[in-house]
Amino acid sequence: GQQLNQSPQSMFIQEGEDVSMNCTSSSIFNTWLWYKQDPGEGPVLLIALYKAGELTSNGRLTAQFGITRKDSFLNISASIPSDVGIYFCAGHPNYGGATNKLIFGTGTLLAVQP
Amino acid sequence: NAGVTQTPKFQVLKTGQSMTLQCAQDMNHNSMYWYRQDPGMGLRLIYYSASEGTTDKGEVPNGYNVSRLNKREFSLRLESAAPSQTSVYFCASVGETQYFGPGTRLLVL
């Protein structure tokens, strides 16, 4: 099955640093979503993007829907220890089937050193 | 994770045993999904239910069955568990986006 290419796989940073991660696909997507998963919990939606070029912020988080509709990035500014977790990109591909089916990236593990 | 509950939280099975994972949502959503999460694989769709009374296979349905008991509940059954089914299982309820439950951690020995 299709999966999104997400990078980097892991990041180990100091508190206060900015973080950037991205997700790419070989095919076009209609929506891009970014989730965060805390240890022992299910993924929680951070940002949803619905059209090409869209740039959306949620506090210290900013995400963009790529112009080609084949990629998206997530930036976290001034990281804090509670940003630790696994970040997943996900999207609805532009092909037939149940419109709510999501394809997930493999995740980026973020560790923040105080 | 508000509104989606899963039971049990943890389970250990022996190969060949059966079990049912339960999921319930109180958001009045039509669609519900079952995923499994394995290291380095992200989340993979097992089965989904677009509405009460309907179910369809996802990406990795082999070895599983599902039941959409009513609008609130969507259960996942392993008839004869195998070690390859050791994973974390997430249920999701779908409104304007997907809301995930806290997960069931399953170990098959």
Side-chain angles (χ1 to χ4, degrees):
Chain A
Q2 181 181 9
Q3 280 193 311
L4 298 171
N5 298 313
Q6 188 172 345
S7 64
Q9 288 188 339
S10 59
M11 303 181 72
F12 301 91
I13 63 172
Q14 296 286 330
E15 182 176 2
E17 289 185 17
D18 296 342
V19 171
S20 183
M21 59 191 78
N22 68 77
C23 215
T24 61
S25 169
S26 58
S27 55
I28 290 172
F29 275 61
N30 292 330
T31 61
W32 285 95
L33 307 170
W34 285 93
Y35 286 87
K36 182 192 178 194
Q37 186 175 21
D38 290 325
E41 302 291 332
V44 174
L45 182 67
L46 299 173
I47 293 179
L49 303 160
Y50 298 104
K51 58 182 181 181
E54 181 179 353
L55 184 70
T56 298
S57 293
N58 178 6
R60 294 178 294 105
L61 276 63
T62 301
Q64 185 160 30
F65 192 139
I67 292 292
T68 65
R69 294 172 65 192
K70 293 182 178 180
D71 62 344
S72 177
F73 72 76
L74 174 70
N75 287 341
I76 305 173
S77 62
S79 59
I80 59 178
S82 62
D83 289 335
V84 165
I86 302 176
Y87 292 79
F88 289 99
C89 62
H92 291 120
N94 185 38
Y95 50 76
T99 56
N100 282 328
K101 276 188 184 177
L102 274 180
I103 306 296
F104 281 86
T106 50
T108 295
L109 172 64
L110 177 64
V112 180
Q113 173 124 13
Chain B
N1 295 341
V4 182
T5 58
Q6 288 184 240
T7 57
K9 288 187 177 181
F10 304 95
Q11 184 71 51
V12 179
L13 294 177
K14 294 180 180 179
T15 296
Q17 288 185 320
S18 62
M19 78 162 295
T20 300
L21 285 67
Q22 306 286 354
C23 175
Q25 54 96 3
D26 61 4
M27 295 176 282
N28 202 36
H29 290 159
N30 287 319
S31 296
M32 298 181 73
Y33 286 60
W34 274 106
Y35 293 91
R36 60 178 289 173
Q37 184 178 32
D38 302 296
M41 298 292 290
L43 286 95
R44 292 182 293 168
L45 183 63
I46 305 172
Y47 269 94
Y48 66 98
S49 171
S51 62
E52 184 179 352
T54 68
T55 60
D56 287 284
K57 295 179 180 179
E59 180 186 353
V60 287
N62 291 343
Y64 305 95
N65 286 301
V66 291
S67 295
R68 184 72 183 269
L69 305 171
N70 47 56
K71 193 171 187 179
R72 290 188 65 250
E73 299 172 291
F74 188 35
S75 63
L76 178 72
R77 182 159 179 86
L78 287 69
E79 290 291 351
S80 179
S84 61
Q85 294 178 305
T86 293
S87 189
V88 183
Y89 291 86
F90 288 101
C91 173
S93 179
V94 184
E96 68 277 10
T97 186
Q98 295 200 11
Y99 299 91
F100 288 85
T104 294
R105 284 138 189 85
L106 175 65
L107 173 62
V108 183
L109 301 173

